[in-house]
Amino acid sequence: HPMDVKVVIMNRWVGPVLCSLLAMPVHGSDKKLTDAENLGFAGPVKSVSTTFQTFMPEPIQPSGYSIIYALSCEQCDFDTHGTEVRSKTGGSLVRKSLDAEGRVDEEITENEEGEATYRTLYTNGLAGKLEQNTYMNGKLVHSSTFRYDSQGNMVECNVHKPDGTLESRNWSTFDGGGNELESVSDGPGDTYFGIVQTYNPQTGHLESITSLKRDGSVRLSFRVNDDTVLSYWQQPGDHRNSYGNDICFEDDDRTERDCRDYNLDGTYTMVRYVFTDKSKRNPLKATLYGTDHQVVMAAYYDYELDALGNWTRRTVRIQTGESGERRLLEKDARILTYYPAQETHP
């Protein structure tokens, strides 16, 4: 039967006040995940504490996808719905408070001295956040408003400066299946993204993406057929990290994901991930291939898993070239706590 392949487009640069209207993955029917699930955890996770020990410098890779699967949750706490309510990374602590419906209505970032450096207030509606006001050291930085269609897709976001002037505007349109058809991000300053996406009417899979400049000229375009890129073109002299440079292919029924990073001339490097299972939470191996399709380096992962499949110990080894020695990169350890089953909510 035909492969049910997802195509995921990565946007590696989004300005600090741009709204996330460039949808990825491109299939709107994907199940909405909790914060805990998005961070790769299974089961009713209550808290996570992670420590790591490195034994060599991380290998230098070309731009694009990394063979090193980054650690999530140095310290994280979740509520019974899987919403992250507290996280600590280095000296930065983020605390979130929730409204009566379990939605985040306040987020505070503190420095090492416990001083609040950022504070964000949210006004929530049925589909999602309606307003967002962000303060830095007590002063308003910017305000955002959001609008949704009847399916719950975010179709507009406007960001204003403290004096009320418009800083950026972002809008999208969707089809009946929740697939994003068109999106525009205009501002701040000269920043502009214009994206048009088409889908195969029989399968519903992504068929093409065209990235447009403000004047309507094409910056980048490509066409795909399930797991094959049929054509790729990028305007000569365009900046390297355009929306559409990075393309991932994955199949829900398999344990692999192939991620390509395209160059201006249409050549690409690729990282192939092989995971422990179809959930694609824990990689067993990640291999980087050069533009000549030869192996450049690979990372190998070993785990100790708990009863719910979350790892409690992880070892990462690196191999360069086809037959190089596997060298120890890092050892990681996690302590996880869980809510009793009767305390969790569907």
Side-chain angles (χ1 to χ4, degrees):
H1 78 135
M3 295 180 66
D4 187 15
V5 177
K6 292 180 184 177
V7 181
V8 182
I9 310 302
M10 300 305 295
N11 186 18
R12 269 184 285 162
W13 182 88
V14 176
V17 294
L18 285 182
C19 307
S20 299
L21 292 180
L22 298 178
M24 27 250 157
V26 294
H27 295 284
S29 59
D30 286 355
K31 172 181 176 287
K32 185 176 181 180
L33 303 178
T34 66
D35 292 342
E37 290 169 334
N38 276 319
L39 289 168
F41 299 111
V45 177
K46 182 177 182 180
S47 67
V48 180
S49 177
T50 306
T51 58
F52 61 93
Q53 182 179 8
T54 57
F55 297 86
M56 60 175 281
E58 187 171 316
I60 298 174
Q61 298 182 221
S63 62
Y65 293 90
S66 176
I67 61 173
I68 309 301
Y69 233 58
L71 293 171
S72 60
C73 282
E74 183 178 322
Q75 292 183 28
C76 295
D77 295 327
F78 304 90
D79 71 359
T80 55
H81 297 273
T83 301
E84 187 180 47
V85 295
R86 181 181 178 276
S87 63
K88 185 176 185 298
T89 303
S92 178
L93 174 68
V94 177
R95 294 184 290 107
K96 301 175 183 178
S97 62
L98 309 179
D99 62 18
E101 302 297 324
R103 301 166 301 193
V104 176
D105 60 8
E106 183 180 33
E107 182 175 327
I108 297 175
T109 302
E110 299 176 355
N111 59 21
E112 293 180 347
E113 285 72 40
E115 300 166 332
T117 53
Y118 285 91
R119 180 173 181 245
T120 303
L121 301 177
Y122 302 93
T123 300
N124 298 300
L126 293 176
K129 56 188 177 183
L130 300 176
E131 295 183 18
Q132 174 180 325
N133 295 293
T134 300
Y135 300 82
M136 182 174 64
N137 298 321
K139 295 182 178 181
L140 182 66
V141 178
H142 56 259
S143 301
S144 305
T145 58
F146 306 86
R147 187 170 62 85
Y148 302 83
D149 64 14
S150 59
Q151 302 176 82
N153 300 305
M154 186 190 298
V155 295
E156 187 176 0
C157 169
N158 295 309
V159 181
H160 293 84
K161 297 178 181 179
D163 63 5
T165 58
L166 185 66
E167 185 164 11
S168 66
R169 178 175 181 265
N170 310 266
W171 58 265
S172 289
T173 61
F174 296 83
D175 65 15
N179 294 315
E180 188 175 46
L181 301 176
E182 188 175 2
S183 64
V184 170
S185 293
D186 190 354
D190 294 332
T191 301
Y192 184 88
F193 292 95
I195 306 296
V196 177
Q197 302 180 154
T198 65
Y199 301 84
N200 185 302
Q202 279 74 45
T203 65
H205 295 170
L206 180 71
E207 193 171 58
S208 71
I209 282 186
T210 303
S211 175
L212 303 172
K213 293 185 177 182
R214 192 185 299 274
D215 62 7
S217 61
V218 175
R219 168 182 284 133
L220 179 151
S221 66
F222 68 82
R223 296 183 63 84
V224 294
N225 181 15
D226 285 334
D227 60 346
T228 302
V229 175
L230 301 177
S231 65
Y232 180 95
W233 180 87
Q234 188 169 359
Q235 185 181 56
D238 188 28
H239 58 80
R240 177 66 186 82
N241 297 335
S242 289
Y243 178 84
N245 278 128
D246 296 345
I247 307 170
C248 282
F249 298 91
E250 62 178 51
D251 184 343
D252 283 345
D253 293 328
R254 302 179 64 184
T255 60
E256 296 86 18
R257 176 186 296 142
D258 288 349
C259 294
R260 301 179 183 181
D261 182 63
Y262 275 84
N263 301 307
L264 297 177
D265 61 1
T267 61
Y268 62 88
T269 59
M270 183 180 78
V271 175
R272 172 166 293 164
Y273 301 96
V274 180
F275 296 88
T276 56
D277 55 39
K278 295 176 184 178
S279 70
K280 299 178 178 64
R281 292 186 296 130
N282 301 317
L284 285 172
K285 182 181 179 181
T287 306
L288 170 65
Y289 296 88
T291 55
D292 59 358
H293 309 300
Q294 299 300 307
V295 173
V296 177
M297 64 181 71
Y300 296 84
Y301 298 79
D302 294 306
Y303 302 95
E304 293 181 17
L305 306 178
D306 65 14
L308 293 175
N310 295 312
W311 63 260
T312 56
R313 294 186 181 277
R314 184 181 83 160
T315 302
V316 185
R317 291 180 170 83
I318 300 296
Q319 180 183 37
T320 56
E322 289 281 5
S323 57
E325 177 187 359
R326 296 185 189 180
R327 295 179 293 165
L328 180 62
L329 174 67
E330 66 180 64
K331 289 185 176 181
D332 313 312
R334 271 182 182 159
I335 298 174
L336 300 97
T337 65
Y338 297 93
Y339 288 101
Q342 64 269 23
E343 292 186 25
T344 60
H345 303 275

